[in-house]
């Protein structure tokens, strides 16, 4: 199925780029070369390499028909969400004539992929809520609009400051929209530990008692002793023939 549809797209792409006789820009030649190599790799079963070249051809040329090849490669790789997005982009960008020519083919492909895609919405009124789906963070505005996921089982983790974290496992059916109410329990208020008992009073300070001082023994006053009065002995001196008497 993929081989027939891819060869049809190749023909359309080559015809569309060959209609103009004027010289083509180098990017157009690069886009065509990338597209041809992608088709060959796709037919050889190298889907990842083919997808990369299809996307390069699309970025270089902007040909809406290449989006159908991208969708086919994504579907073959088991990526229904990306395949559906490529088909929707084709519907938004392709001319009316191109859409009409491939309406049945595109509608069939969209019907197949939609049965394998589920939409998950997360309703929450918790400020700062962080939501991770299968380990990947998603912005709140994206969650309000709905996140497309492959149908099946998914792990959803909810976290917010001041609340208990919550993790749930959801099984999502394809083709439907599922709503998850993000309700979380608040953390209990912090309880302070009881106050510490007062420290014991310090032991009383006991002053050491000193023995009474011995009385000071005063020395008796020192009295001056008068020297006994001596009697003067008269000395007689003879001066110049006269006698002079000294003393009393």
């Amino acid at each position: 199925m993929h081989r027939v549809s891819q060869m049809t797209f190749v023909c359309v792409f080559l015809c569309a780029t060959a209609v103009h006789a004027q010289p083509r820009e180098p990017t157009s030649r690069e886009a065509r070369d990338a597209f041809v190599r992608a088709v060959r790799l796709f037919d050889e079963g190298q889907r990842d390499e083919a997808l990369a070249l299809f996307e390069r051809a699309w970025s270089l040329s902007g040909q809406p028909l290449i989006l159908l090849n991208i969708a086919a490669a994504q579907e073959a790789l088991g990526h229904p969400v990306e395949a559906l997005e490529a088909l929707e982009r084709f519907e938004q960008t392709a001319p009316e004539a191109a859409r009409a020519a491939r309406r049945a083919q595109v509608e069939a492909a969209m019907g197949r992929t939609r049965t394998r895609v589920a939409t998950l919405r997360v309703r929450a009124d918790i400020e700062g809520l962080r939501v991770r789906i299968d380990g990947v963070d998603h912005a709140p505005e994206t969650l309000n609009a709905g996140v497309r996921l492959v149908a099946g089982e998914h792990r959803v983790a909810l976290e917010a400051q001041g609340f208990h974290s919550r993790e749930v496992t959801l099984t999502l059916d394809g083709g439907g929209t599922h709503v998850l109410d993000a309700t979380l329990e608040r953390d209990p208020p912090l309880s302070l530990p009881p106050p510490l008992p007062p420290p014991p009073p310090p032991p009383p300070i006991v002053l050491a008692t000193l023995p009474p001082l011995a009385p000071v023994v005063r020395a008796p006053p020192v009295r001056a002793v008068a020297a006994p009065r001596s009697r003067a002995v008269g000395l007689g001196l003879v001066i110049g023939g006269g006698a002079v008497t000294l003393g009393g």
Side-chain angles (χ1 to χ4, degrees):
M1 175 184 69
H2 292 303
R3 180 180 180 85
V4 174
S5 59
Q6 295 306 309
M7 293 306 295
T8 303
F9 297 159
V10 171
C11 176
V12 172
F13 178 76
L14 293 178
C15 293
T17 55
V19 230
H20 305 288
Q22 63 210 30
R24 292 188 278 285
E25 295 292 332
T27 53
S28 299
R29 293 197 298 271
E30 292 174 22
R32 182 175 58 178
D33 293 343
F35 188 89
V36 172
R37 292 203 313 273
V39 172
R40 184 178 69 253
L41 291 172
F42 188 94
D43 290 340
E44 293 172 356
Q46 302 181 53
R47 306 298 165 77
D48 286 305
E49 294 82 355
L51 175 61
L53 286 172
F54 280 138
E55 290 177 338
R56 175 167 175 75
W58 156 251
S59 65
L60 290 173
S61 68
Q63 286 283 344
L65 290 171
I66 303 178
L67 292 168
L68 301 180
N69 298 67
I70 292 175
Q74 294 282 22
E75 185 179 3
L77 288 168
H79 305 157
V81 174
E82 293 80 358
L84 183 58
E85 290 173 351
L87 292 168
E88 290 175 343
R89 199 180 313 147
F90 170 80
E91 288 290 304
Q92 296 165 2
T93 59
E96 175 58 34
R99 295 201 307 272
R102 285 160 185 80
R103 180 162 290 121
Q105 181 183 10
V106 171
E107 288 179 354
M110 294 180 78
R112 285 194 310 272
T113 54
R114 280 180 179 144
T115 60
R116 300 173 57 197
V117 174
T119 301
L120 175 63
R121 291 181 56 209
V122 179
R123 292 189 304 201
D125 57 357
I126 301 175
E127 186 176 357
L129 179 67
R130 179 186 181 189
V131 180
R132 287 179 291 118
I133 303 175
D134 300 326
V136 179
D137 284 292
H138 291 268
E141 56 271 15
T142 305
L143 296 169
N144 291 333
V147 178
R148 281 177 170 172
L149 303 168
V150 179
E153 190 174 279
H154 296 275
R155 299 286 292 176
V156 181
L158 308 171
E159 299 175 2
Q161 188 174 7
F163 294 84
H164 284 303
S165 300
R166 177 186 170 197
E167 188 168 322
V168 295
T169 301
L170 302 176
T171 301
L172 307 179
D173 297 327
T177 298
H178 305 260
V179 179
L180 173 65
D181 288 321
T183 55
L184 296 177
E185 295 182 4
R186 287 189 176 273
D187 290 336
L190 295 177
S191 57
L192 298 177
L196 296 175
I205 300 174
V206 179
L207 298 177
T209 58
L210 298 176
L213 298 176
V216 178
V217 179
R218 296 182 177 274
V222 179
R223 296 178 179 273
V225 179
R229 191 168 180 176
S230 59
R231 298 175 71 93
V233 179
L235 297 176
L237 297 176
V238 178
I239 302 175
V244 180
T245 302
L246 299 177

